[in-house]
Amino acid sequence: MSQISRYNPMDELFRGFFVKPMDLPSNLPPQQIKMDVKEQEGAYLVHAEMPGAKKEDIHVEIEGNQVSISSEVKQEKEVKDGERVLRSERYYGQVSRSFQLAHDIDEGRATASFKDGVLELTLPKKAAANGKKLTIN
């Protein structure tokens, strides 16, 4: 019973307030492309979040059923005279992601668009190759 103390929310509010201007985690995880993949009747629809990327810095490669997305986000430095950066958590660098789909993709009919930081891919499924029946002579 001697270890019970009265809780004072004001103590918690000001604890460490005057010691550091801010206390943010220093080990942030690396940036990753977040995406949704949906299967439709004859195609796959992919939405990939790519905040801060420019359309010309995004690359999509399709090989069979393997899709690879990569991008480079560049940091723009804008520090004014008399200004000091205390912390910068905005990501810059290269990110990439690869995944496989159940069907091969028809690269010739695939389309891509980029709007508001979201890459949208429409990946039509390749028509199944009809087997050829051989006649035996």
Side-chain angles (χ1 to χ4, degrees):
M1 289 296 270
S2 64
Q3 294 181 0
I4 295 176
S5 64
R6 180 174 267 224
Y7 175 72
N8 185 350
M10 293 307 282
D11 287 344
E12 292 297 317
L13 177 66
F14 291 109
R15 183 182 312 250
F17 183 74
F18 296 106
V19 177
K20 299 180 206 173
M22 63 182 72
D23 187 22
L24 298 172
S26 61
N27 53 350
L28 295 174
Q31 186 72 15
Q32 185 180 6
I33 299 172
K34 295 176 179 73
M35 57 187 194
D36 298 328
V37 180
K38 298 177 185 174
E39 185 175 8
Q40 298 175 338
E41 182 67 28
Y44 295 100
L45 186 61
V46 178
H47 288 100
E49 289 183 2
M50 307 190 80
K54 294 182 181 174
K55 181 169 65 169
E56 53 272 4
D57 294 331
I58 299 172
H59 305 285
V60 179
E61 295 181 25
I62 301 169
E63 188 173 323
N65 68 341
Q66 176 91 17
V67 180
S68 299
I69 302 171
S70 63
S71 173
E72 184 174 0
V73 178
K74 298 175 181 160
Q75 180 184 31
E76 298 176 13
K77 293 187 178 200
E78 185 179 322
V79 178
K80 298 175 182 148
D81 289 338
E83 190 173 63
R84 186 172 69 136
V85 177
L86 296 177
R87 185 172 186 89
S88 178
E89 292 184 345
R90 295 187 303 164
Y91 176 81
Y92 62 95
Q94 195 163 16
V95 292
S96 63
R97 182 123 185 224
S98 295
F99 56 96
Q100 288 184 335
L101 298 168
H103 298 89
D104 284 349
I105 304 302
D106 187 353
E107 300 95 353
R109 295 188 310 137
T111 61
S113 64
F114 185 67
K115 183 179 178 186
D116 297 330
V118 177
L119 175 68
E120 182 178 313
L121 302 175
T122 303
L123 307 171
K125 297 175 185 176
K126 193 175 271 190
N130 293 336
K132 181 179 178 185
K133 186 173 182 178
L134 298 175
T135 56
I136 301 173
N137 296 330

